[in-house]
Amino acid sequence: MEKIKLMAHLVAGYPTNELSLQAARALVQGGADILEVQLPFSDPSADGPAIQSACTTVLSRGYKTRDGLAFIEKIHAEFPKLSIYLMSYGSLVYTPGVENFCKQAAESGVTGMIIPDLPFDHDEGLTQACRKNGMENIPVAAPSMSCERLKKMALAGFPYIYAALRTGITGSDTKIDDGTIDFIKQVAQGGSKVYGGFGISSGAQSKLLAPYVEAVVAGSVFVRTISENAGDGEALFAKVKAKALEITGQA
């Protein structure tokens, strides 16, 4: 079977600076094509318990945005051809100035931004600032959007759109059914390539989803695996890599 393209999510600095770097290496060796690195945030709107807990752990060490960008810089130095997307929330981007933040992110090796609480048509200049710095803004489409608004996003000319495959928060299992596929087709109607995720935790799910998306997105499953093995770096590496191999259809 052909390898499934994977966007793998991890929280910068979790559970420690060194172990988060080990997790990133494991994901790359397991076949991740894109790393979606989340800057820890105190009041997330879309993250489930696993990611919220990881963010809280990292923030309790006094972790700052600059630490997250330094982490991305290290990954980029080690894997210069790897696509790295930065995932965060609007206030972290807006506070230092959108233009300034995008410049720093690009200099760290970021190629795309995923900011779920900045609407695609009221994004505080994010799309423009991304393009000015050689990155892409990747808006998030949700099944709760009206057909009219979804069509407006789909026809807005974004090269990529992230399709959250169900409403609510991350982490719970998502059923891939005809409704899921129809939603993805609506997101793709303007020609954008679609990343599909939210609750993807098994190879069986990714095989069902893969024919309809540019890449399968998985996050909470990796954060949970990291949490379960935080006391043993070797086990963490092996199990994160194994899960990535499963989701990419290589296991």
Side-chain angles (χ1 to χ4, degrees), residues 21-91:
L21 203 53
Q22 281 287 80
R25 291 172 181 138
L27 289 167
V28 173
Q29 285 200 23
D33 303 274
I34 304 162
L35 282 189
E36 179 192 10
V37 180
Q38 176 168 351
L39 298 183
F41 190 69
S42 58
D43 189 25
S45 58
D47 299 324
I51 293 175
Q52 283 190 38
S53 176
C55 286
T56 300
T57 298
V58 179
L59 290 170
S60 70
R61 304 202 313 259
Y63 203 85
K64 305 292 185 189
T65 296
R66 65 174 175 270
D67 300 313
L69 293 175
F71 172 65
I72 290 170
E73 200 168 345
K74 283 185 180 178
I75 297 171
H76 178 61
E78 197 165 326
F79 304 103
K81 294 182 179 177
L82 180 72
S83 293
I84 303 174
Y85 293 167
L86 185 152
M87 183 260 162
S88 188
Y89 289 93
S91 65

Side-chain angles (χ1 to χ4, degrees), residues 44-164:
S45 58
D47 299 324
I51 293 175
Q52 283 190 38
S53 176
C55 286
T56 300
T57 298
V58 179
L59 290 170
S60 70
R61 304 202 313 259
Y63 203 85
K64 305 292 185 189
T65 296
R66 65 174 175 270
D67 300 313
L69 293 175
F71 172 65
I72 290 170
E73 200 168 345
K74 283 185 180 178
I75 297 171
H76 178 61
E78 197 165 326
F79 304 103
K81 294 182 179 177
L82 180 72
S83 293
I84 303 174
Y85 293 167
L86 185 152
M87 183 260 162
S88 188
Y89 289 93
S91 65
L92 287 187
V93 178
Y94 185 78
T95 301
V98 174
E99 181 85 36
N100 181 39
F101 186 93
C102 286
K103 184 174 183 292
Q104 289 180 54
E107 287 171 352
S108 300
V110 173
T111 53
M113 302 274 281
I114 301 171
I115 313 295
D117 60 342
L118 279 182
F120 73 95
D121 49 354
H122 293 89
D123 68 2
E124 304 293 344
L126 179 64
T127 299
Q128 186 178 354
C130 281
R131 289 181 179 162
K132 183 178 176 181
N133 288 281
M135 303 184 294
E136 290 295 343
N137 177 30
I138 301 157
V140 179
S144 56
M145 294 171 75
S146 67
C147 290
E148 182 185 1
R149 184 156 179 76
L150 190 58
K151 185 174 183 180
K152 186 180 177 186
M153 177 188 281
L155 299 178
F158 290 99
Y160 304 98
I161 297 176
Y162 183 138

